[in-house]
Amino acid sequence: MRKIIIKPKELLNKLDEYIIIDARKEDEYKEGHIINAISLPLARVLDAKDPNELAEVFRSVGVSNDDKVVVYDDIFGAIAARVAWTLEYIGNDNVSLLSVTFSKWKSMGYKVEKRIRKRKEAKKFIVRVNDAILATADYVNAISKTNNKILLDSRERLNYLDAHIPHAINISWRALGNEDSILKSPEELRRMLKNRKIDRDKEIITYCGSVGTLSGLAYYALKYAGYENIKLYAKSFKEWKALQLPIEEFKNATYWDLSAE
Amino acid sequence: MKQRFKEHIKQDKEEWGLPEEVESIEEMIRLYRAGKISDNEFRRFRLQYGAYGARLNQDFTMMRIKVPAGILFPDQLRRLASLSEAFSIGSVHVSTRQNIQMHWIYLDDVPEVERGLVEVGLTTRESCGNTIRNIVVSPFAGVCKKEPFDVTPYAKAFAKFFLRNTLNQNLPRKFKFNFACCEEHNLSKIADMGLVPITKEENGKIVRGFRVYLGGGLGPASFIAELLEEFTNEDQLLPTAIAVIRLFDRLGDRINMHRNRMRYLVHDMGFNKFKELVLKEREIVNATKSIYMKLDIKDIEKPTKGLISIKPFNASNEYKRWFNTNVVEQKQQGYYLVFISLQMGDISANQLRELARVVEEFSGENAIITTPQQGFVIRWVLGSDLPKLYKQLSSVGLAKPGALSITSAVACVGTTSCNLAITNSHRLGKEIQQRLLEKGLDKDKDLEGVTIHISGCPNSCGQHMIGTLGFYGGASRVNNTLTPTYNMLIGGRIGEDARLGRVITRVPAKRVIDVILKMISIYKSERNDKEKFTQWIDRILEGRGSNIKDVEELRKIIEEEAKIPDADIDADLYLDYGSDNKFTAKTARGECAA
Ligand code: SF4
């Protein structure tokens, strides 16, 4: 069965089973990366215009449909999650996230290297678009209070209070992980979601501020907790605002002035 | 580095939290959401657990964490940091009663937050509602040059004794204890029960006791507490407290929610009568005392001297400025208190983490104390460590000067979170602090002892009644436009000669800073010789001013300064801080009396 999260020890035990993708910037990769990892910065994924171009990006770095892939980054798993989700979207279901960030990996004393790793290009990548996991602006705009869907805003609380998509509720991406792992345990996540009345039988759509990174992490948090019916609004609030779609604001309090930042 | 402290100072860590309470909170919220318990019943329950409704938004709540004697440990600071990022706004707020508050938390996340708190020994239990609230203790306790003995063990024992005690689960209203360490560091007269330590000699032996003050408190109507008896022996401390609480429980007003604090009871029957009742009730308490009614007092062992080897170094001007207003010598030679001035009590998650690290390295008690000035103090710092500590604090914005000066204004949360707020007192406080620091007023010795207190409504959470200059928010028509305004008070002070401020006039929010500066410039031209600002205020209040004789004459000048041009000339002057919208005074029901 596919694993959502792979812990460092598990990965090190099965190094030859997995293709490890470093989703950070190329410069960062060059300064040192997890052993065996290849570099595929998120920016390259975001640049691709359609599923075919995406498939080509992955194929060219040696990833095909059936390869087992582990992605990591150094920004709390958010960048890695977006890369992983994209791979899933175009038809590779064997993608996992590393449970720790690169910094954490290093601080735990696990092996890093500077050597630039390249894989042979894959023969082919067959595009099988999984539309069930993508939400568009139109789709989100059709959400109402009653249609059994939950819209989940993954940004931090003050941003959410400031303005959000109508009907959205907020779980900050910071509530998803802890110091040891980019995601809390499935039990902890389930407990939190249950308290918030986010039921498994509902469809959940996640979004965040810009390109679906923080909400990508939320997507995988939900999966990790055992939820199945999840979509990512990949273009998120950035597109929503640009399209001048309706927003909900909370202006009855000057909550920003409570922040120490 | 830490080793050199370990042997001598031990601040015991208490487990205030209880894991089973997390489950009962979870269950109650579930029942409430399922419509099985009423709004009122649920409100009472959640207030018992420190969850207080957020401003004009039912989904959110503030959680107040009880911090007895203000003592927090590094792991607790780190936990506060991560909880605030996950479930709140990424910063926490230090309150004037030494609590920590986290705002804009989803009501349904409360169990998760409580769980995180309990894991590190903290609780929100009895931090709101009609209970005995956090026990406030002077942050100087244990290290103060003027204290007769350390009250910390007494305060902690009180906190332990009363937390979850059946005596205080359903009082007519909240009840507050304040422990002073000496006459000066002393908020005893603005609490329901204030305690000032004293000693006397009996048969050649030193006996410990307290001066017990009763019936004080700030609010829409404020009172200064009165002295129960000259000397209350330490063994009578708990019986006295129990007697007072039992009386309040029996006789306090449970009907009229505006008059149900104990101070009204005391005021209405007259202090002498109340005192008589207390002394009688104490006899009964003593006569029926059980073995459980005992305070467990263990003095904290402390060194009397630190390493005294401050090497001379080239201190920068910034360092000197900080040193002069943020650092105080302890009674234990060679050790220092280092005050951290925040901005109206707000500290970010990252700063909390840094603070935890700094505490581990520099605090001899491996703990930090919250202060009634909405800040922190690190104690037992070796003099030789000060420059290094300064450097580390300033690298994360925690070495703001002026901690013990006029610039460290105190302000409640106001419209940033509170249902009752009329004005954004919080932001005004921040603006005042910034302006006064820019003007370097922290360095002005003549202004020593001057405090500025701001509340967003008459309720006095910002303690405007005890500020040398106090302000509380309101809404009034100015030139026919509804405007955020502040009622200005002068002359409030704390200590054994505590005094409530006197209202002099009303000032538009955007003129408050000008008025403060005006007051300072009037003082400079009116003062006698070496007179301090606070002494000049005393003279004005007594009608013995120089050219400006009394409050009446001062009012005229301030009113002139506070004038604003019509709204079509400068509309901004009619808006509140932090808002571009036309001012309206929106409020909702407060939960104080629920
Ligand atoms: S003084 Fe008024 S505005 Fe400020 S916190 Fe208290 S009730 Fe709220």
Side-chain angles (χ1 to χ4, degrees):
Chain A
M1 235 201 61
R2 168 191 177 191
K3 289 186 135 213
I4 305 294
I5 286 284
I6 304 265
K7 303 216 165 97
K9 280 237 171 76
E10 285 176 81
L11 178 62
L12 287 167
N13 282 336
K14 297 181 184 167
L15 266 183
D16 39 349
E17 258 181 53
Y18 287 101
I19 300 174
I20 306 171
I21 293 183
D22 182 320
R24 298 175 301 159
K25 296 200 178 91
E26 208 168 337
D27 294 349
E28 294 169 302
Y29 174 83
K30 282 183 186 151
E31 275 166 34
H33 57 82
I34 290 177
I35 58 163
N36 279 8
I38 56 167
S39 170
L40 178 58
L42 174 65
R44 276 192 65 196
V45 172
L46 294 176
D47 281 346
K49 282 184 210 62
D50 55 37
N52 289 327
E53 275 189 30
L54 276 169
E56 184 50 29
V57 170
F58 284 102
R59 193 196 62 77
S60 68
V61 295
V63 177
S64 179
N65 295 78
D66 303 322
D67 288 323
K68 285 178 146 187
V69 177
V70 182
V71 196
Y72 73 88
D73 64 18
D74 212 6
I75 315 186
F76 317 102
I79 305 285
R82 183 63 168 82
V83 171
W85 177 86
T86 308
L87 198 49
E88 201 180 322
Y89 174 64
I90 59 169
N92 178 327
D93 279 339
N94 287 313
V95 55
S96 312
L97 298 174
L98 184 63
S99 69
V100 297
T101 60
F102 177 69
S103 300
K104 184 82 191 177
W105 171 282
K106 234 168 102 176
S107 75
M108 290 165 98
Y110 294 122
K111 214 157 174 195
V112 296
E113 61 178 13
K114 279 200 170 167
R115 194 176 138 195
I116 293 175
R117 300 268 186 177
K118 291 262 191 246
R119 288 178 59 84
K120 258 209 322 249
E121 291 194 359
K123 285 213 184 73
K124 58 181 174 202
F125 193 116
I126 304 161
V127 177
R128 286 192 292 258
V129 173
N130 185 359
D131 267 327
I133 65 169
L134 173 74
T136 60
D138 282 343
Y139 189 87
V140 173
N141 205 10
I143 294 175
S144 69
K145 253 209 160 108
T146 49
N147 62 5
N148 224 27
K149 296 186 168 83
I150 293 177
L151 184 57
L152 191 62
D153 186 324
S154 312
R155 296 170 303 153
E156 288 170 22
R157 181 65 33 86
L158 287 173
N159 293 314
Y160 167 81
L161 287 171
D162 202 35
H164 55 258
I165 298 177
H167 311 301
I169 58 168
N170 177 223
I171 292 183
S172 165
W173 63 278
R174 291 197 180 262
L176 306 175
N178 56 33
E179 280 112 67
D180 301 323
S181 177
I182 60 166
L183 293 178
K184 290 176 179 167
S185 73
E187 296 73 39
E188 281 175 286
L189 291 166
R190 271 199 290 273
R191 192 178 61 212
M192 180 174 77
L193 294 163
K194 191 173 154 226
N195 281 341
R196 291 290 301 279
K197 312 285 170 304
I198 299 172
D199 299 330
R200 256 207 287 229
D201 57 1
K202 300 241 170 74
E203 178 186 303
I204 300 156
I205 300 108
T206 68
Y207 79 92
C208 57
S210 61
V211 291
T213 46
L214 301 176
S215 47
L217 189 63
Y219 173 91
Y220 283 108
L222 288 159
K223 281 218 136 171
Y224 196 37
Y227 286 61
E228 277 152 14
N229 199 358
I230 322 158
K231 287 185 185 353
L232 174 70
Y233 174 25
K235 297 203 169 148
S236 280
F237 205 46
K238 196 172 171 188
E239 177 190 69
W240 190 269
K241 277 190 294 189
L243 294 172
Q244 300 192 320
L245 290 165
I247 53 171
E248 232 163 56
E249 293 173 305
F250 181 62
K251 286 194 183 295
N252 278 332
T254 49
Y255 42 81
W256 281 104
D257 291 331
L258 248 186
S259 167
E261 306 234 297
Chain B
M1 186 59 100
K2 265 187 274 171
Q3 275 342 25
R4 68 173 182 246
F5 296 122
K6 266 214 178 112
E7 300 108 50
H8 46 247
I9 315 152
K10 194 156 176 288
Q11 199 63 262
D12 279 331
K13 189 172 172 187
E14 310 286 344
E15 293 292 328
W16 303 112
L18 264 189
E20 41 290 21
E21 289 181 345
V22 177
E23 258 110 77
S24 65
I25 296 173
E26 225 154 35
E27 178 63 8
M28 282 298 271
I29 295 180
R30 202 182 60 73
L31 290 173
Y32 172 63
R33 290 297 189 204
K36 300 244 162 67
I37 49 175
S38 70
D39 279 2
N40 269 334
E41 198 184 334
F42 180 68
R43 185 186 306 117
R44 238 188 68 76
F45 173 84
R46 87 173 140 73
L47 288 171
Q48 203 79 350
Y49 284 99
Y52 192 105
R55 181 173 173 81
L56 301 165
N57 194 326
Q58 306 268 331
D59 294 338
F60 294 95
T61 167
M62 173 268 277
M63 281 178 85
R64 182 180 289 149
I65 299 146
K66 209 169 192 175
V67 189
I71 303 166
L72 285 170
F73 296 88
D75 63 325
Q76 297 176 331
L77 294 173
R78 291 195 179 98
R79 182 54 60 91
L80 290 171
S82 55
L83 288 173
S84 78
E85 285 174 334
F87 300 105
S88 175
I89 61 168
S91 42
V92 307
H93 173 77
V94 182
S95 87
T96 55
R97 294 201 79 256
Q98 296 178 299
N99 300 291
I100 297 282
Q101 293 178 181
M102 290 199 278
H103 293 261
W104 299 104
I105 292 174
Y106 271 100
L107 178 60
D108 301 276
D109 278 336
V110 167
E112 208 53 33
V113 177
E114 188 75 17
R115 181 176 284 111
L117 294 170
V118 170
E119 277 171 9
V120 292
L122 293 169
T123 188
T124 56
R125 170 101 193 196
E126 290 157 40
S127 65
C128 296
N130 298 330
T131 59
I132 293 175
R133 301 293 186 82
N134 193 34
I135 311 269
V136 164
V137 181
S138 160
F140 287 90
V143 302
C144 172
K145 285 186 173 173
K146 289 180 220 141
E147 70 178 10
F149 59 90
D150 182 4
V151 298
T152 312
Y154 296 83
K156 279 186 168 173
F158 256 49
K160 250 202 240 171
F161 181 84
F162 285 110
L163 186 65
R164 302 184 181 88
N165 191 314
T166 46
L167 270 176
N168 90 101
Q169 297 310 300
N170 187 21
L171 296 172
R173 190 67 191 94
K174 60 187 166 183
F175 190 94
K176 297 175 178 176
F177 285 111
N178 285 4
F179 278 86
C181 60
C182 66
E183 293 202 355
E184 187 190 331
H185 308 122
N186 182 344
L187 295 164
S188 64
K189 289 195 157 183
I190 57 163
D192 294 288
M193 183 160 170
L195 303 137
V196 187
I198 46 166
T199 51
K200 68 175 184 189
E201 244 196 81
E202 236 168 45
N203 309 326
K205 270 173 64 189
I206 300 287
V207 184
R208 286 178 179 186
F210 289 84
R211 287 163 75 84
V212 174
Y213 290 94
L214 297 173
L218 305 179
S222 302
F223 295 99
I224 293 291
E226 290 192 64
L227 183 63
L228 176 67
E229 56 195 345
E230 276 309 316
F231 188 87
T232 304
N233 191 291
E234 61 168 332
D235 65 10
Q236 285 304 300
L237 192 63
L238 186 61
T240 309
I242 292 172
V244 170
I245 286 160
R246 289 202 334 201
L247 275 179
F248 176 45
D249 193 32
R250 262 200 324 266
L251 305 176
D253 190 338
R254 287 180 190 268
I255 311 287
N256 183 348
M257 69 178 225
H258 295 293
R259 295 183 57 81
N260 48 17
R261 288 292 299 274
M262 192 181 81
R263 58 180 182 267
Y264 296 102
L265 175 69
V266 177
H267 187 77
D268 290 352
M269 75 165 64
F271 189 74
N272 283 335
K273 178 88 209 297
F274 185 73
K275 170 176 161 176
E276 214 177 277
L277 290 179
V278 170
L279 296 177
K280 235 189 246 152
E281 187 74 19
R282 186 168 72 187
E283 278 173 31
I284 300 171
V285 173
N286 277 322
T288 56
K289 192 154 71 175
S290 76
I291 46 163
Y292 301 108
M293 275 164 48
K294 212 177 136 270
L295 294 180
D296 182 17
I297 304 296
K298 215 170 68 223
D299 280 351
I300 300 163
E301 274 182 52
K302 304 181 202 90
T304 48
K305 239 190 211 176
L307 309 162
I308 312 163
S309 62
I310 305 189
K311 289 196 202 87
F313 71 107
N314 259 340
S316 64
N317 284 337
E318 290 84 52
Y319 176 85
K320 286 189 203 137
R321 185 176 176 185
W322 171 81
F323 181 88
N324 285 336
T325 48
N326 292 41
V327 180
V328 180
E329 265 184 359
Q330 292 185 188
K331 78 172 157 201
Q332 297 85 0
Q333 221 186 346
Y335 288 105
Y336 293 82
L337 296 126
V338 173
F339 284 82
I340 292 168
S341 172
L342 304 173
Q343 291 171 281
M344 306 309 115
D346 300 337
I347 180 165
S348 74
N350 285 334
Q351 288 175 325
L352 281 168
R353 291 196 184 95
E354 238 359 81
L355 209 50
R357 208 189 49 66
V358 159
V359 166
E360 282 167 346
E361 184 171 348
F362 296 101
S363 157
E365 58 190 346
N366 196 33
I368 196 166
I369 319 275
T370 54
T371 72
Q373 286 74 42
Q374 301 176 312
F376 288 104
V377 59
I378 305 175
R379 319 189 307 174
W380 296 98
V381 177
L382 287 169
S384 47
D385 281 345
L386 287 169
K388 212 167 141 202
L389 173 57
Y390 169 75
K391 221 169 133 202
Q392 298 194 12
L393 287 175
S394 65
S395 72
V396 286
L398 290 174
K400 206 175 260 303
L404 300 171
S405 82
I406 185 176
T407 62
S408 276
V410 166
C412 71
V413 295
T415 55
T416 66
S417 165
C418 171
N419 257 325
L420 295 167
I422 305 169
T423 56
N424 190 349
S425 45
H426 203 66
R427 174 72 177 273
L428 173 60
K430 290 183 178 182
E431 299 282 340
I432 291 173
Q433 180 185 26
Q434 196 186 340
R435 262 300 268 297
L436 301 192
L437 279 174
E438 277 163 20
K439 294 203 156 274
L441 293 180
D442 53 308
K443 293 184 262 188
D444 191 333
K445 291 251 184 290
D446 299 331
L447 299 177
E448 264 173 19
V450 177
T451 56
I452 297 176
H453 283 260
I454 309 141
S455 305
C457 82
N459 277 315
S460 212
C461 305
Q463 306 172 322
H464 57 263
M465 304 291 300
I466 55 166
T468 318
L469 301 174
F471 298 89
Y472 71 91
S476 4
R477 295 215 156 262
V478 178
N479 302 331
N480 277 323
T481 307
L482 192 68
T483 310
T485 55
Y486 285 87
N487 276 291
M488 173 178 174
L489 299 86
I490 61 168
R493 67 183 176 212
I494 55 163
E496 293 263 331
D497 57 352
R499 178 174 69 195
L500 300 175
R502 187 159 148 199
V503 177
I504 68 165
T505 187
R506 196 172 290 167
V507 182
K510 293 271 166 83
R511 274 283 190 260
V512 169
I513 296 177
D514 305 289
V515 163
I516 291 171
L517 296 175
K518 181 74 181 179
M519 284 292 289
I520 293 168
S521 78
I522 299 174
Y523 150 69
K524 296 267 168 174
S525 62
E526 290 280 305
R527 64 190 289 198
N528 284 338
D529 204 23
K530 292 221 171 78
E531 191 177 53
K532 302 233 174 207
F533 186 95
T534 49
Q535 294 167 317
W536 169 70
I537 291 278
D538 290 346
R539 265 202 302 133
I540 291 284
L541 287 171
E542 290 158 14
R544 297 186 297 108
S546 312
N547 293 311
I548 301 162
K549 279 274 162 310
D550 53 17
V551 172
E552 277 313 310
E553 289 181 24
L554 182 65
R555 169 181 301 134
K556 279 190 207 121
I557 299 174
I558 296 302
E559 279 176 355
E560 197 52 43
E561 184 70 22
K563 273 198 183 137
I564 49 177
D566 277 350
D568 49 356
I569 296 171
D570 194 344
D572 181 64
L573 296 173
Y574 294 81
L575 305 180
D576 200 358
Y577 280 103
S579 169
D580 303 327
N581 297 334
K582 194 167 169 314
F583 176 72
T584 53
K586 265 193 215 153
T587 57
R589 175 181 171 185
E591 300 205 313
C592 312

